[in-house]
Amino acid sequence: MKNLNDRLLQLLKASNRIGDKDIRLVLQEHAKNPAEKIRVILVRRGLVAENELSSLLSTELKIPFLNLAKYKIDPEVIHQVPEKLAKSHQVIPISKIGDKLTLAMADPLDILAVDDIELHTRMKVDCVVSTAKDIQEAIDRFYPHEAEDMAAIASAASEVSEELRVVKGEEDSDVSKATGLMNEAPVVKLVDLLLLEALRKRASDIHIEPFEKNVRVRYRIDGNLEEAFEIPKKNQNAVLTRLKIMSRLDITENRVPQDGRFKVKVREKEVDFRVSILPVYFGNKVVMRILDKGALSFGLDHLGFLPETLGAFKAAVEKPFGMILITGPTGSGKSTTLYSILSQLNTPEKNIITIEDPIEYQIKGITQIHARPEVGLDFANGLRAILRQSPDVVMVGEIRDSETADIAIKAALTGQLVLSTLHTNDAAGAMTRLVDMHVEPFLIASSVILVAAQRLCRKICGHCKEKVDIPKEVFGRLNVRFEKIAPNAKDRNFFKGKGCTHCNRTGYWGRMGVLETLVVDDTVRDLVVKNASAFEIKNYAVKNGMTTLHEDALKKCCQGLTTLDEVIRVTMGDE
C-alpha cells in the first residue's frame, strides 16, 4: 500500500461516502496542519462516522475490529503500559498471553507507537482496530488522573517528621526506570506512609488485600488485625509495582506467588520487611512481615519468663549437647525465643550455624543458611552439610519430616546443642510427634533435654492500667485452683487497661510469652522409651511441678501483667 491516507480516501470515494470536492477540502486542511491526521479531519468535518472509518481500516488492513465499549478489559493488563505512553500514542492494552501484548489502536500503522511500547514492555505487540473515541474513554476510565488521586491520599506523608523519614536501600534502577514509577512521587509517598504508620503502631505484619472495588490495608498489632485505611482500586497496581521494585521481584509476573524482602532505615535503625505476594481473585494480595532488629530481645532475661521457667532454660542452654524444642502454632513467638537463646550463646568461642526458611533476623557472628528445597537444599541436606562444618550449636528452623528429625536427633547425641521447633499443642506432645516421625523412642529419650510449648498474650497498657475485682464465682466456673498459682490472697492482683491514646483505646501494649516447660528427667525418658502417651507424660510432669500454659498465664494475670480475658483467649483449651 503506497499510502494509508490515499487508500482510505479512495475507499470512501468508492463507497460514495465522500466526493472529489470533499477530498480536496480535506487535503487542503491537512496541508495547513500536517500533524493532524486525515481520519481525524474526516470525522471532525462530519464526512464519515468514526466507527465506519475504523471498520474500513479493519477490512483494508485485515486487522480485527474491536468494539471497546462492549469489551471487558482486565485491569491487570492495563498497567503493562504506563499512562504517559497510552495517552501519547492513543492506545489501550486489552490482553496479554505469554509474551504477546494486544493493543487497541485507532491507527494500527503507527509503527513508532508499536516500537515504543515493544521496547518498554519487552513483549511482542499485536493490534486490533478501535475508534479513537472508545480508546480515549478507556484511557480516561483506567488512568483517571492517578498521580493526583495518590497525591491526595498520601498528603499525610509530607507531614511526617524528618526524624522518621524512611531511607530506602539500593533498588534496581533499570527496573525503576522501566516502570516510570520513580518519577511518580505520590506512589512513593503513599508506600512510605504505609510503612511508617505500621512502624509507628508497632505492627508485626502489613496486609494489602484487593477486593472488587477497593484495596484494604490492615496492620497486625499485638497479634490482632486492625483496619488502617483503603486504597482506591485504580491505584492498586501502582502500589504493587512499587513494592515489587523495592523487593526486587518480577514486576511483569502476576500469576504465581513471589517472595522477597527489602530494608529501610528509620532514625538510623534498620528494619527488614519480608514480602509475600499471592495471586488472588481481584489482583495480588501482599503480606509484609516486619522484622525489627531493635525489638529483638538479646538473651533469655528479657523475654518475661517466670523465674522457674527462666532457670530451666538457662540450665538447658548451658549443656554442651542435647536438643531443645520450642513448640506452638505459627505466630506464637517460637523464632524470637530461639534467636534470644542464640544471642546468649553467641560468643567467639562457639561455632553457631543455622538453617532456616526463611531467615527472619540476621545476627552478626552467626552463620545462617537459607533453605532452598527447589535446588535440593532442604533442612535434611542442609543439616548434613552443617554437621561437616564442626558446629557447636545448630539451629534448624523447623523439624518437618522424619529425615530431618532423625539427623537432628543424632546430631544432638554426637556433641552438638541442637535448637528447633515443632508444631504441637503442648510440650509433652513433642515426644509423641517425634515417634510419629519414625524416630526411635530410645534416641528421643537420650537426646531431648527440654521442650517448651509457647503462646503469646497481650500485656496491659501501663498508661491506663487500673485495678479490677473479679468475682470468685468467675474463677469457680473456670475451675481455677489458686493453691498452685497464688496461694496467698495478697498475691492476687487483677488489672485491666482502661484504654487511652497511647494504646489506641485497646487497653493493651505489647505481648509476652506464656510457656509450658517440660524438663526431661529420667522418669520422662522411661515413659518415652515405653511409648507412653502425651497425656501420661504430661500428667507425670504436672504432678512433679510443671506449670501448664494455662497456669503460667494465670500467674501473670495475678501479677497484673495481663487480663483474665487474655488468659481465656490464649490458653483456655490448654488447661
Side-chain angles (χ1 to χ4, degrees), residues 96-277:
K96 174 180 174 290
I97 301 174
D99 64 347
K100 187 176 290 186
L101 183 69
T102 302
L103 300 177
M105 305 178 69
D107 185 355
L109 289 187
D110 189 344
I111 304 301
L112 291 177
V114 172
D115 287 348
D116 201 4
I117 291 169
E118 282 186 339
L119 181 65
H120 176 86
T121 61
R122 299 177 185 175
M123 289 187 280
K124 179 176 173 55
V125 169
D126 280 347
C127 302
V128 297
V129 180
S130 293
T131 66
K133 178 175 176 291
D134 284 348
I135 291 172
Q136 185 58 51
E137 286 179 354
I139 289 172
D140 292 340
R141 186 165 69 252
F142 287 103
Y143 301 102
H145 309 293
E146 184 173 284
E148 294 176 16
D149 289 348
M150 295 192 75
I153 298 168
S155 60
S158 61
E159 301 172 7
V160 174
S161 166
E162 185 67 21
E163 292 183 352
L164 294 176
R165 183 172 56 89
V166 178
V167 181
K168 277 75 64 182
E170 292 183 3
E171 298 170 5
D172 190 332
S173 58
D174 292 335
V175 176
S176 299
K177 290 175 183 176
T179 60
L181 284 175
M182 292 305 293
N183 295 323
E184 294 184 25
V187 181
V188 178
K189 284 184 179 180
L190 178 58
V191 173
D192 286 355
L193 175 64
L194 188 149
L195 301 179
L196 281 165
E197 281 299 300
L199 293 172
R200 278 177 163 181
K201 293 183 176 182
R202 305 173 295 107
S204 60
D205 300 89
I206 303 172
H207 291 242
I208 304 174
E209 302 160 311
F211 295 99
E212 185 178 6
K213 296 182 180 178
N214 68 306
V215 180
R216 180 175 68 180
V217 177
R218 293 191 292 173
Y219 296 144
R220 188 178 293 279
I221 302 170
D222 294 334
N224 291 350
L225 280 171
E226 298 179 9
E227 285 201 33
F229 52 87
E230 289 186 355
I231 299 172
K233 185 69 177 179
K234 57 182 172 283
N235 303 138
Q236 171 182 324
N237 288 283
V239 172
L240 175 66
T241 303
R242 172 65 180 165
L243 289 170
K244 283 184 176 181
I245 292 170
M246 296 175 73
S247 308
R248 297 179 177 271
L249 298 177
D250 185 352
I251 63 172
T252 64
E253 181 56 75
N254 294 304
R255 300 164 298 175
V256 297
Q258 295 190 71
D259 295 302
R261 65 192 305 153
F262 62 89
K263 185 184 298 182
V264 300
K265 278 188 177 181
V266 183
R267 296 178 62 184
E268 300 308 314
K269 182 175 72 171
E270 286 190 353
V271 181
D272 286 338
F273 288 80
R274 197 176 77 214
V275 181
S276 172
I277 298 177

Side-chain angles (χ1 to χ4, degrees), residues 228-438:
F229 52 87
E230 289 186 355
I231 299 172
K233 185 69 177 179
K234 57 182 172 283
N235 303 138
Q236 171 182 324
N237 288 283
V239 172
L240 175 66
T241 303
R242 172 65 180 165
L243 289 170
K244 283 184 176 181
I245 292 170
M246 296 175 73
S247 308
R248 297 179 177 271
L249 298 177
D250 185 352
I251 63 172
T252 64
E253 181 56 75
N254 294 304
R255 300 164 298 175
V256 297
Q258 295 190 71
D259 295 302
R261 65 192 305 153
F262 62 89
K263 185 184 298 182
V264 300
K265 278 188 177 181
V266 183
R267 296 178 62 184
E268 300 308 314
K269 182 175 72 171
E270 286 190 353
V271 181
D272 286 338
F273 288 80
R274 197 176 77 214
V275 181
S276 172
I277 298 177
L278 179 69
V280 294
Y281 189 74
F282 291 110
N284 282 258
K285 176 175 178 176
V286 182
V287 176
M288 290 181 278
R289 171 69 60 87
I290 301 173
L291 304 170
D292 184 356
K293 293 180 183 178
L296 183 64
S297 297
F298 289 96
L300 293 168
D301 294 311
H302 304 285
L303 291 177
F305 291 174
L306 292 175
E308 57 268 32
T309 302
L310 183 61
F313 264 90
K314 285 188 172 181
V317 300
E318 287 172 1
K319 294 187 177 181
F321 61 88
M323 176 178 279
I324 297 173
L325 293 172
I326 311 295
T327 77
T330 300
S332 59
K334 302 187 298 296
S335 296
T336 300
T337 300
L338 287 179
Y339 278 115
S340 296
I341 295 172
L342 288 178
S343 298
Q344 183 160 318
L345 294 171
N346 188 15
T347 62
E349 296 79 27
K350 285 188 171 68
N351 178 21
I352 302 175
I353 307 178
T354 75
I355 180 163
E356 307 166 59
D357 185 18
I359 295 171
E360 294 197 357
Y361 296 97
Q362 296 168 3
I363 301 177
K364 186 178 179 181
I366 293 178
T367 303
Q368 295 173 272
I369 302 168
H370 184 188
R372 297 183 183 276
E374 68 275 9
V375 296
L377 183 59
D378 54 18
F379 282 124
N381 290 331
L383 190 50
R384 284 193 191 92
I386 286 171
L387 296 179
R388 293 193 286 271
Q389 296 278 318
S390 184
D392 297 299
V393 180
V394 176
M395 186 184 94
V396 183
E398 182 184 345
I399 294 177
R400 297 175 179 173
D401 53 61
S402 56
E403 189 178 12
T404 305
D406 185 62
I407 299 168
I409 289 283
K410 289 174 180 174
L413 289 171
T414 55
Q416 284 84 31
L417 183 63
V418 179
L419 313 175
S420 192
T421 67
L422 271 176
H423 285 287
T424 63
N425 291 327
D426 58 11
M431 300 299 196
T432 54
R433 177 76 179 115
L434 289 171
V435 173
D436 292 340
M437 288 182 173
H438 307 295

Side-chain angles (χ1 to χ4, degrees), residues 152 195 203 205 331 339 374 461 464 488 554 569:
L195 301 179
D205 300 89
Y339 278 115
E374 68 275 9
C461 174
C464 58
N488 297 321
L554 280 171
R569 183 182 71 85

Side-chain angles (χ1 to χ4, degrees), residues 29-50:
E29 193 165 340
H30 179 63
K32 293 177 183 176
N33 185 12
E36 190 173 26
K37 295 178 180 179
I38 292 288
R39 58 182 177 78
V40 175
I41 299 170
L42 287 166
V43 173
R44 180 167 52 77
R45 293 182 67 89
L47 296 172
V48 64
E50 192 172 9

